[in-house]
Amino acid sequence: MNQQVQETSSNEEMLADTVINGNQFLTFTLQEETYGVDILKVQEIRGWSEPTPIPNAPEFIRGVMNLRGEIVPILDMRRRFQMDETSFTKYTVIVVVNVRERTIGMTVDAVSDVMDITVEDMKDAPDFGTSIDASFIRGLAASEEKMVILLDIDAMLQSCELVDLDKIVEKTEATV
Amino acid sequence: MSKTILTVDDSISIRQMVAFTLKQAGFNVVEASDGEQGLQVARNNSVDLIITDLNMPNMDGLQMIQNLRGDAAYKFTPILMLTTESDDTKKMAGKQAGATGWLVKPFNPEQLLKVINKVMAA
Amino acid sequence: MTIDMAQFQLTFLEEAAEHLVDLESGLLELEQHGQTDMSAIFRAAHSIKGGAATFGFESIAEFTHVVEFVLEKARDGELKPTEELTSQLLQSVDIISEMVKAVREGTDVTPEGREDCLAALQGYIENPDRGTAVGLEPTSTSSPESRLLQITFKPKPSMPATGSDAANIIRELANLGEIEVSCHTDEVPLLSDIDPEKMYLSWDIQLSTDATTEEIEDVFVFVEDDAEISIETRAAVQSEQQSKSKESETSTTGKSEEKPKQQINKKENAEANKESIFIRVAIDKVDQLINLIGELVTTNAMVEQCSKKLDADENQTLKSAVVEMSSHTRNLQEAIMGIRMMPIDFAFSRFPRTVRDTASKLGKQVNLETTGNQTELDKTVIEKIVDPLTHLVRNAVDHGIELPERRQECGKPAEGTIKISAYHRGGNVVIEIQDDGAGLNREKILKKAIEKELITTETAADLSDEDVWNFIFDSGFSTADKVTDVSGRGVGMDVVRKNIQALGGAVHIQSEIEKGTCFTVSLPLTLAIVDGMALRLGRETYIIPILNIIESIRLQPEQCRTMQDGVEIVDIRGEYFPLLRLSEVFGTTEENTTSQDINAGITVVVESDQTRLALQVDELLGEHQVVIKNVEDNYRKIQGISGATILGDGRVAFIIDLSGLVKLARENGRFAKASKFGALKMAQTTQRQEEVAA
């Protein structure tokens, strides 16, 4: 039930974002695909540095790093989406996002661009049959011959066990 | 130059409220937490008006007023006392000690400024 | 001008809490010694009432007014402070406390027994004048109409002595309408006879105003006893006429308006006030400072590390500047941490009441002595330690101190003594709660422990006293013959220990039968910083709080053995400890250097939850004072980890939470699942079997 509530609210949020806040997305690549996240959720972009591994954490959580005194967990997006592993290069970047008052870093292959995407450009996400859970996807957008998969990072991070379950429930109840 | 008011009260919250109100109204404010301190602060500063509580540790308000009236510098300075007692004996005692007027607690900032205006030319 | 009173309400509530403590301790002193500074406790109630009324808490003001009235009568000797009255007053302190708490927490609860208590207090006073405290002075409602007033104002010569200035009064009248003033100088004496401090003038004033008579009278309110005043309506539209005069004068002779000049020689004293003045600062501002200094300490460590790599000759100036900066940073850190420090008296001041209430309920006689009340520690630590300490104190009265008859049978004074003391030891504050009561009963505790299957009859005899005493911290472990009203309620000893540990502290028990029991609680000075030992595990650094470390030792393979269930035990000088390989518990084996080879790494013996265990790590890196960072801000709770810190090189290191670690190890089957003594028991059994075999 909470899950449903969450989805509804993030859909509404999406529409609201698009209409009110304009529609800029930061796009980045992961294994030849281009993904986009709402630029308003992005705090900063940083170069890769080895994080401190967290004991007994899921594989896709690389560890934590020190971001100006704050302890920030780092998600390996390739691992999260069960893609092939690559070694980290000088192009590997950490996109630091703010979601639900939390600061989280995501490793991506490279950051591409900031794109304007309008509601008309956006299409519903079909069920890909890929490794990426459809519930993480807000929609698809075609731009300059390129297909951009727009991620719903709220939903994605929630599924990443980044927060204790009871806290999610708490927060959901608070927003209802 | 704006006038300086000394507020003497052992209650921090009352003092804070009085000081805040007075500062808003453009006065300089110096503070003391009992009569003894009040005397000291008054003697170390040039104060144009004193607002004092009566019930305080170490030296109460009445004693402080009496002492101040003995100082040449404070012989005629307006002194207002704060009192929760609206009965006349306290007021009389205050007047006898040399208080200029009083303000009955509880009071609000507007009342405070009104009374100050009464005893001191702006 | 509108001023939001809400901003002062919080200050008032804090202040009220302080006054309540004074009130309570005063009343307790009164009860114990039959006397106390009555003026002080009256003043405390008086201040609460005054503030409550000013800041809009009518119900507190109303109730406290009655309390104040009773105290005033007691102060003036009109009421005898009987035991009954003191009890009633103490109860009323509780009720005020609850009302203050309700306001603070925004709950709208009327404390239980408020009305009864109020009625009881009113029984002590015949005519409590409840009206005066609440509500502002009544304002006039008579309808104002424009009219001409003739006012005579003839101050007594002594009027200036109260600081009243006739000019102010005339100015105030002028604000109320159109005014015409004439001044009489006929009473001014010859210059040689003039006393410059006296007032010789009087005035006739014609005022055309629509102000009410009350408003006019109000102008003279401060001087009505210092002057002759008459107010008459001349061109009266209203027939209403009020006169306050004892005599009326209307002669007009002079025109000049004079007033005595105030001769004030004020000392211009450039010296600022020497009084120690406190400012109240919101706690989050202080916390921000603490966070910032934490950053600075970290950055400083980074700079230090970088500068070490530089050539000493070429960078001499930089190097010495870095050394200096480090010293400033440390001083700054100490000073900032000091802001949050408060004397532990804030906690101790509650205990007289606790002891009194508990003792009287149980029919015991207890004398409480406290020392080291001024020992300072972090405000948050104090707030969090109050409840556990209160429980220990209550426990000492309930379980420690015997009934008077029993004490006399044992040749002790009928009155028991509880001593509470606080002092600094190293980076910690130690609080001791000592009673001269019956002491813990080893046999009784062991019997209970066996009943609860924590140990077996065979192993019982081998347990040290301290091990036995520690059973009382197990949940559901009560050795009281019957559950009393006192010990039956609230938290148990297990919660006490858990809360102390949550603060990074520890509690130990010493006890001797018939002599008494002493609980020793040690606490860190602050929650923001921990003294830690840095250790290496593979490529990572972890921190263990120094408080948990007993010793570190390099083991030989023969000191280690594996039990049937795979649990490893180490033998250190004849004592057996379960061994945890930290790399296994934390699942970081792949890069580990010491997975099998016990003598390649180092073993740290640690204590947590009164259980000692051995931790196998790769290397000890040295002691550090580390600033604790919250991991849960952006992530979830990590089992076995209490927080993180930032190392000199900017990387993150986790701080190990030992009790969480033990739990984690148990879940992973790397630690005896049964009880904490399971491993110990097995070790000892094995040892015996071997001895038999030999």
Side-chain angles (χ1 to χ4, degrees), chain C residues 197-216:
Chain C
E197 296 187 356
K198 292 275 189 288
M199 164 64 76
Y200 302 106
L201 302 175
S202 61
W203 289 268
D204 274 334
I205 300 150
Q206 285 200 328
L207 177 66
S208 164
T209 181
D210 53 7
T212 62
T213 311
E214 284 84 357
E215 278 176 274
I216 309 292

PDB file of all heavy atoms in Angstrom, chain C residues 197-216:
ATOM      1  N   GLU C 197      16.877  71.440  44.895  1.00  0.00           N
ATOM      2  CA  GLU C 197      16.292  70.119  44.728  1.00  0.00           C
ATOM      3  C   GLU C 197      14.800  70.123  45.010  1.00  0.00           C
ATOM      4  O   GLU C 197      14.147  69.079  44.950  1.00  0.00           O
ATOM      5  CB  GLU C 197      17.006  69.119  45.646  1.00  0.00           C
ATOM      6  CG  GLU C 197      18.473  68.960  45.266  1.00  0.00           C
ATOM      7  CD  GLU C 197      19.155  67.858  46.057  1.00  0.00           C
ATOM      8  OE1 GLU C 197      18.503  67.281  46.955  1.00  0.00           O
ATOM      9  OE2 GLU C 197      20.334  67.583  45.763  1.00  0.00           O
ATOM     10  N   LYS C 198      14.254  71.250  45.319  1.00  0.00           N
ATOM     11  CA  LYS C 198      12.835  71.305  45.662  1.00  0.00           C
ATOM     12  C   LYS C 198      12.021  71.948  44.532  1.00  0.00           C
ATOM     13  O   LYS C 198      12.534  72.664  43.684  1.00  0.00           O
ATOM     14  CB  LYS C 198      12.647  72.109  46.957  1.00  0.00           C
ATOM     15  CG  LYS C 198      13.230  71.411  48.186  1.00  0.00           C
ATOM     16  CD  LYS C 198      12.237  70.426  48.756  1.00  0.00           C
ATOM     17  CE  LYS C 198      12.682  69.872  50.106  1.00  0.00           C
ATOM     18  NZ  LYS C 198      13.817  68.928  50.026  1.00  0.00           N
ATOM     19  N   MET C 199      10.743  71.695  44.562  1.00  0.00           N
ATOM     20  CA  MET C 199       9.836  72.205  43.543  1.00  0.00           C
ATOM     21  C   MET C 199       8.975  73.299  44.175  1.00  0.00           C
ATOM     22  O   MET C 199       8.359  73.089  45.224  1.00  0.00           O
ATOM     23  CB  MET C 199       8.953  71.036  43.069  1.00  0.00           C
ATOM     24  CG  MET C 199       7.721  71.430  42.295  1.00  0.00           C
ATOM     25  SD  MET C 199       8.117  72.244  40.759  1.00  0.00           S
ATOM     26  CE  MET C 199       8.609  70.830  39.797  1.00  0.00           C
ATOM     27  N   TYR C 200       8.998  74.496  43.569  1.00  0.00           N
ATOM     28  CA  TYR C 200       8.228  75.600  44.144  1.00  0.00           C
ATOM     29  C   TYR C 200       7.125  76.073  43.227  1.00  0.00           C
ATOM     30  O   TYR C 200       6.428  77.010  43.533  1.00  0.00           O
ATOM     31  CB  TYR C 200       9.163  76.772  44.464  1.00  0.00           C
ATOM     32  CG  TYR C 200      10.281  76.403  45.409  1.00  0.00           C
ATOM     33  CD1 TYR C 200      11.586  76.255  44.970  1.00  0.00           C
ATOM     34  CD2 TYR C 200      10.001  76.209  46.779  1.00  0.00           C
ATOM     35  CE1 TYR C 200      12.616  75.911  45.838  1.00  0.00           C
ATOM     36  CE2 TYR C 200      11.026  75.867  47.654  1.00  0.00           C
ATOM     37  CZ  TYR C 200      12.323  75.717  47.174  1.00  0.00           C
ATOM     38  OH  TYR C 200      13.320  75.386  48.045  1.00  0.00           O
ATOM     39  N   LEU C 201       6.995  75.480  42.071  1.00  0.00           N
ATOM     40  CA  LEU C 201       6.057  75.988  41.076  1.00  0.00           C
ATOM     41  C   LEU C 201       4.742  75.227  41.132  1.00  0.00           C
ATOM     42  O   LEU C 201       4.665  74.100  41.606  1.00  0.00           O
ATOM     43  CB  LEU C 201       6.653  75.845  39.668  1.00  0.00           C
ATOM     44  CG  LEU C 201       7.998  76.548  39.457  1.00  0.00           C
ATOM     45  CD1 LEU C 201       8.529  76.228  38.075  1.00  0.00           C
ATOM     46  CD2 LEU C 201       7.855  78.042  39.673  1.00  0.00           C
ATOM     47  N   SER C 202       3.697  75.875  40.602  1.00  0.00           N
ATOM     48  CA  SER C 202       2.443  75.152  40.384  1.00  0.00           C
ATOM     49  C   SER C 202       1.827  75.671  39.101  1.00  0.00           C
ATOM     50  O   SER C 202       2.242  76.705  38.574  1.00  0.00           O
ATOM     51  CB  SER C 202       1.508  75.342  41.572  1.00  0.00           C
ATOM     52  OG  SER C 202       1.205  76.713  41.718  1.00  0.00           O
ATOM     53  N   TRP C 203       0.885  74.900  38.567  1.00  0.00           N
ATOM     54  CA  TRP C 203       0.361  75.245  37.250  1.00  0.00           C
ATOM     55  C   TRP C 203      -1.165  75.229  37.198  1.00  0.00           C
ATOM     56  O   TRP C 203      -1.806  74.428  37.886  1.00  0.00           O
ATOM     57  CB  TRP C 203       0.863  74.251  36.199  1.00  0.00           C
ATOM     58  CG  TRP C 203       2.322  74.400  35.883  1.00  0.00           C
ATOM     59  CD1 TRP C 203       2.851  75.151  34.898  1.00  0.00           C
ATOM     60  CD2 TRP C 203       3.409  73.782  36.552  1.00  0.00           C
ATOM     61  NE1 TRP C 203       4.224  75.044  34.903  1.00  0.00           N
ATOM     62  CE2 TRP C 203       4.596  74.202  35.917  1.00  0.00           C
ATOM     63  CE3 TRP C 203       3.515  72.923  37.663  1.00  0.00           C
ATOM     64  CZ2 TRP C 203       5.849  73.790  36.332  1.00  0.00           C
ATOM     65  CZ3 TRP C 203       4.766  72.506  38.061  1.00  0.00           C
ATOM     66  CH2 TRP C 203       5.927  72.948  37.394  1.00  0.00           C
ATOM     67  N   ASP C 204      -1.682  76.097  36.358  1.00  0.00           N
ATOM     68  CA  ASP C 204      -3.088  76.037  35.971  1.00  0.00           C
ATOM     69  C   ASP C 204      -3.117  75.632  34.510  1.00  0.00           C
ATOM     70  O   ASP C 204      -2.400  76.228  33.704  1.00  0.00           O
ATOM     71  CB  ASP C 204      -3.774  77.402  36.121  1.00  0.00           C
ATOM     72  CG  ASP C 204      -4.274  77.583  37.537  1.00  0.00           C
ATOM     73  OD1 ASP C 204      -4.544  76.554  38.186  1.00  0.00           O
ATOM     74  OD2 ASP C 204      -4.380  78.746  37.986  1.00  0.00           O
ATOM     75  N   ILE C 205      -3.941  74.688  34.212  1.00  0.00           N
ATOM     76  CA  ILE C 205      -3.933  74.183  32.841  1.00  0.00           C
ATOM     77  C   ILE C 205      -5.346  74.141  32.325  1.00  0.00           C
ATOM     78  O   ILE C 205      -6.268  73.646  33.002  1.00  0.00           O
ATOM     79  CB  ILE C 205      -3.324  72.763  32.800  1.00  0.00           C
ATOM     80  CG1 ILE C 205      -1.882  72.797  33.333  1.00  0.00           C
ATOM     81  CG2 ILE C 205      -3.353  72.192  31.387  1.00  0.00           C
ATOM     82  CD1 ILE C 205      -1.455  71.535  33.999  1.00  0.00           C
ATOM     83  N   GLN C 206      -5.532  74.683  31.121  1.00  0.00           N
ATOM     84  CA  GLN C 206      -6.821  74.526  30.460  1.00  0.00           C
ATOM     85  C   GLN C 206      -6.618  73.545  29.326  1.00  0.00           C
ATOM     86  O   GLN C 206      -5.782  73.758  28.453  1.00  0.00           O
ATOM     87  CB  GLN C 206      -7.306  75.869  29.927  1.00  0.00           C
ATOM     88  CG  GLN C 206      -7.813  76.759  31.041  1.00  0.00           C
ATOM     89  CD  GLN C 206      -8.713  77.852  30.511  1.00  0.00           C
ATOM     90  OE1 GLN C 206      -8.522  78.336  29.389  1.00  0.00           O
ATOM     91  NE2 GLN C 206      -9.705  78.253  31.292  1.00  0.00           N
ATOM     92  N   LEU C 207      -7.400  72.513  29.364  1.00  0.00           N
ATOM     93  CA  LEU C 207      -7.210  71.462  28.378  1.00  0.00           C
ATOM     94  C   LEU C 207      -8.523  71.208  27.662  1.00  0.00           C
ATOM     95  O   LEU C 207      -9.545  70.929  28.286  1.00  0.00           O
ATOM     96  CB  LEU C 207      -6.730  70.172  29.070  1.00  0.00           C
ATOM     97  CG  LEU C 207      -6.547  68.951  28.187  1.00  0.00           C
ATOM     98  CD1 LEU C 207      -5.419  69.144  27.194  1.00  0.00           C
ATOM     99  CD2 LEU C 207      -6.262  67.722  29.064  1.00  0.00           C
ATOM    100  N   SER C 208      -8.456  71.340  26.345  1.00  0.00           N
ATOM    101  CA  SER C 208      -9.635  71.019  25.558  1.00  0.00           C
ATOM    102  C   SER C 208      -9.398  69.631  24.961  1.00  0.00           C
ATOM    103  O   SER C 208      -8.487  69.437  24.152  1.00  0.00           O
ATOM    104  CB  SER C 208      -9.789  72.074  24.464  1.00  0.00           C
ATOM    105  OG  SER C 208     -10.668  71.605  23.495  1.00  0.00           O
ATOM    106  N   THR C 209     -10.164  68.670  25.394  1.00  0.00           N
ATOM    107  CA  THR C 209      -9.831  67.281  25.052  1.00  0.00           C
ATOM    108  C   THR C 209     -11.065  66.407  24.935  1.00  0.00           C
ATOM    109  O   THR C 209     -12.129  66.732  25.481  1.00  0.00           O
ATOM    110  CB  THR C 209      -8.903  66.676  26.126  1.00  0.00           C
ATOM    111  OG1 THR C 209      -8.583  65.350  25.753  1.00  0.00           O
ATOM    112  CG2 THR C 209      -9.574  66.634  27.478  1.00  0.00           C
ATOM    113  N   ASP C 210     -10.924  65.299  24.210  1.00  0.00           N
ATOM    114  CA  ASP C 210     -12.004  64.318  24.239  1.00  0.00           C
ATOM    115  C   ASP C 210     -11.560  63.070  25.004  1.00  0.00           C
ATOM    116  O   ASP C 210     -12.178  62.016  24.929  1.00  0.00           O
ATOM    117  CB  ASP C 210     -12.477  63.963  22.815  1.00  0.00           C
ATOM    118  CG  ASP C 210     -11.332  63.529  21.916  1.00  0.00           C
ATOM    119  OD1 ASP C 210     -10.200  63.368  22.438  1.00  0.00           O
ATOM    120  OD2 ASP C 210     -11.566  63.357  20.714  1.00  0.00           O
ATOM    121  N   ALA C 211     -10.452  63.196  25.730  1.00  0.00           N
ATOM    122  CA  ALA C 211      -9.978  62.061  26.532  1.00  0.00           C
ATOM    123  C   ALA C 211     -10.904  61.836  27.716  1.00  0.00           C
ATOM    124  O   ALA C 211     -11.548  62.767  28.203  1.00  0.00           O
ATOM    125  CB  ALA C 211      -8.567  62.339  27.025  1.00  0.00           C
ATOM    126  N   THR C 212     -10.998  60.621  28.161  1.00  0.00           N
ATOM    127  CA  THR C 212     -11.862  60.325  29.307  1.00  0.00           C
ATOM    128  C   THR C 212     -11.222  60.864  30.573  1.00  0.00           C
ATOM    129  O   THR C 212     -10.011  61.125  30.629  1.00  0.00           O
ATOM    130  CB  THR C 212     -12.040  58.806  29.485  1.00  0.00           C
ATOM    131  OG1 THR C 212     -10.762  58.240  29.743  1.00  0.00           O
ATOM    132  CG2 THR C 212     -12.645  58.169  28.248  1.00  0.00           C
ATOM    133  N   THR C 213     -12.023  61.004  31.578  1.00  0.00           N
ATOM    134  CA  THR C 213     -11.522  61.469  32.864  1.00  0.00           C
ATOM    135  C   THR C 213     -10.446  60.529  33.383  1.00  0.00           C
ATOM    136  O   THR C 213      -9.450  60.957  33.948  1.00  0.00           O
ATOM    137  CB  THR C 213     -12.682  61.554  33.876  1.00  0.00           C
ATOM    138  OG1 THR C 213     -13.743  62.264  33.253  1.00  0.00           O
ATOM    139  CG2 THR C 213     -12.253  62.256  35.132  1.00  0.00           C
ATOM    140  N   GLU C 214     -10.681  59.215  33.146  1.00  0.00           N
ATOM    141  CA  GLU C 214      -9.678  58.229  33.596  1.00  0.00           C
ATOM    142  C   GLU C 214      -8.329  58.489  32.922  1.00  0.00           C
ATOM    143  O   GLU C 214      -7.278  58.373  33.549  1.00  0.00           O
ATOM    144  CB  GLU C 214     -10.131  56.797  33.283  1.00  0.00           C
ATOM    145  CG  GLU C 214     -11.204  56.259  34.214  1.00  0.00           C
ATOM    146  CD  GLU C 214     -12.611  56.689  33.801  1.00  0.00           C
ATOM    147  OE1 GLU C 214     -12.739  57.459  32.818  1.00  0.00           O
ATOM    148  OE2 GLU C 214     -13.566  56.277  34.461  1.00  0.00           O
ATOM    149  N   GLU C 215      -8.393  58.808  31.652  1.00  0.00           N
ATOM    150  CA  GLU C 215      -7.139  59.055  30.939  1.00  0.00           C
ATOM    151  C   GLU C 215      -6.408  60.254  31.523  1.00  0.00           C
ATOM    152  O   GLU C 215      -5.185  60.267  31.620  1.00  0.00           O
ATOM    153  CB  GLU C 215      -7.404  59.288  29.445  1.00  0.00           C
ATOM    154  CG  GLU C 215      -7.576  57.993  28.660  1.00  0.00           C
ATOM    155  CD  GLU C 215      -7.943  58.264  27.201  1.00  0.00           C
ATOM    156  OE1 GLU C 215      -9.146  58.422  26.916  1.00  0.00           O
ATOM    157  OE2 GLU C 215      -7.018  58.327  26.386  1.00  0.00           O
ATOM    158  N   ILE C 216      -7.197  61.289  31.868  1.00  0.00           N
ATOM    159  CA  ILE C 216      -6.584  62.474  32.474  1.00  0.00           C
ATOM    160  C   ILE C 216      -5.986  62.121  33.830  1.00  0.00           C
ATOM    161  O   ILE C 216      -4.838  62.464  34.130  1.00  0.00           O
ATOM    162  CB  ILE C 216      -7.636  63.601  32.679  1.00  0.00           C
ATOM    163  CG1 ILE C 216      -8.407  63.871  31.390  1.00  0.00           C
ATOM    164  CG2 ILE C 216      -6.962  64.855  33.225  1.00  0.00           C
ATOM    165  CD1 ILE C 216      -7.601  64.483  30.288  1.00  0.00           C
TER     166      ILE C 216
END
